[in-house]
Amino acid sequence: MNLSDQNAALRNFSAFVDFSNLINSSLDVGFTLNNILLTLFGKLLTTRGIIAMKGNDGILEPKLVKGIPSERINDFPKESLIDGELSERLKRFLADNKLVYTQKLISHNGVIGIIALGSKLTNMPYSESDMEFIGTIANTGATAIENSLTVEKIKTINKELDSKVNRLSALFDLSKEFSGALEVGTVNKLLVYSIIGQMLVSKYAILSAAADKPQILDSKFPEENVLKFLDENPFEKIDAPISCDEIKEIFPSIADVGIELILPMRIKNKTKGLILLGARGNKLPYLKSDIEFVSSLGSLAIISIENALLFEEALEKEKLEKELETARKIQKSLLPNKIPVYEEYKIAAVNNSAKQVGGDYYDILELDSDRTLIAIGDVSGKGVQAALLMANVQAFLKSIWKQNITLDKASNLINDLVSENTTDGSFITFFWGIINRKEMKLEYVNAGHNPPLLCRNGEIEHLKKGGMILGVMQTIIPYEAAEIKLQSGDVLVAFTDGITEAMNVNFEEYSDERLEKLALSNCDKTADDLLNVIMNDVMKHTVGAVQSDDITALVLKIK
């Protein structure tokens, strides 16, 4: 080797040592690439070069370009290295941009990129020594690039891990907040603030079907679009996240308002809610980790929403039960707590409500030493409303009778009062009568009630005379009263339709015929015994079925 070659080798070695020290001083990929190209430019006296690296998909991408106009770089072929060799398109691109020499970057993972250099300023061709120098720089640089990329991957992984740890920590903290929230509004706010804080979104909608009725809990999108979406798309059909491209294809109506992600909130494999999200404030797409985080948030939220609704329902039910229990006690207090005992006849009565509070009514009032008033009624409907109307009827009855007017005129008045106090179509079937013990007669008026049965000498007479049902309208046709002379052995059975219309498991009614036949065959019994026979027979008929209506009966037996 002559002196000139020795000096060139020493210079190359010195440059290589300086280069190695320099690129190993940093683990930044950009720094490494920049110094590879600058070292080659300085040594080989060229001003044009490009370093292209393989991406995750194997396609070459320009990472560092010097001396080539940017508009030309846009034409760089989006191709992969086939068996580590350049494609014809890539070779033409390099030639068109006066890049005359190409060197592969090879690490232990194979070819990771290429270095392409322009002509030397001296217009001299690249010598064998130059090529060896380029190869040495490329080999050393490839290792440094690989190390830098590894460090970057580790940093990215660590960053993702930190993000996941932070999100897991946030989910853990939020799970405690969600579990302690017993109002749907509070749960919704927690969910919204968490999504806004983590995803940096300003447009969103939270939809719930936890109460089996789809509703908008919160929305920053136009409500008409969201309502239309709810009407057209059953929740149960959305069982997986739907991204922006799919939304444009499947739900174009809501894609137009800026919805980019739809996430289902699910409980036991059933979609009970939806989260609709617009674009993120940082313009970044929704990553898989973002979708997983929001899905986890949604799962926490929908469980809490369901629990909150159940809690509200339980509170409402408890409140209603307390009110019903109070109403039941009041109603029971309105019924006679003790039936008067008389020498001439015996009265027995019973009232069983289908619910805690019913609409059936009976009463027994001693008007004076000789007269007793009996009454039985059935208010349309059941529950608290029926009970309140029943209480009004009793109040009307007691106040009217104090005016000392005849039974027919009293019936006119009580109908007018009931009509004035019912505005929802409620009405009352009503029967009342006055027993005169001194004269042993019964005067009665039937206001549309099931005709009581008068059993006498093996026959039945139906007590029908009276007028229309109470509460339908003001009295136009006056009520008529009828009078019956009572005889020893007479039995009067007054009842509500809860008895005759009581259904068995086959939806067959007890029937008027069965009641009449039973009353006739047992009219020799005492009032208490006959009442027990009737009630037992009704229970026998309805065994296994749910009581659908209130049951009330009153039996009068003349001694």
Side-chain angles (χ1 to χ4, degrees), residues 316-333 353-359 382-388:
E316 196 64 32
K317 185 178 179 182
E318 183 181 354
K319 181 181 177 182
L320 180 59
E321 285 178 348
K322 287 181 178 178
E323 291 177 353
L324 288 174
E325 180 61 23
T326 301
R328 188 188 69 81
K329 291 178 180 178
I330 294 172
Q331 184 186 26
K332 287 297 182 183
S333 70
S353 299
K355 295 185 176 181
Q356 281 183 294
V357 181
K382 291 176 280 296
V384 176
Q385 185 176 353
L388 291 175

Side-chain angles (χ1 to χ4, degrees), residues 2 8 12 36 39 72 88 111 113 137 156 169 226 250 256 265 323 326 373 380 414 425 440 454 461 464 506 534 545:
N2 58 37
N12 287 348
I36 289 175
T39 298
R72 291 193 177 186
E88 292 302 319
V111 179
I137 293 296
T156 301
S169 178
V226 179
I250 305 172
D256 293 341
M265 295 188 284
E323 291 177 353
T326 301
L373 185 148
S380 62
I414 198 170
M440 286 305 293
L454 177 62
E461 180 182 347
K464 298 179 180 179
N506 296 318
I534 293 172

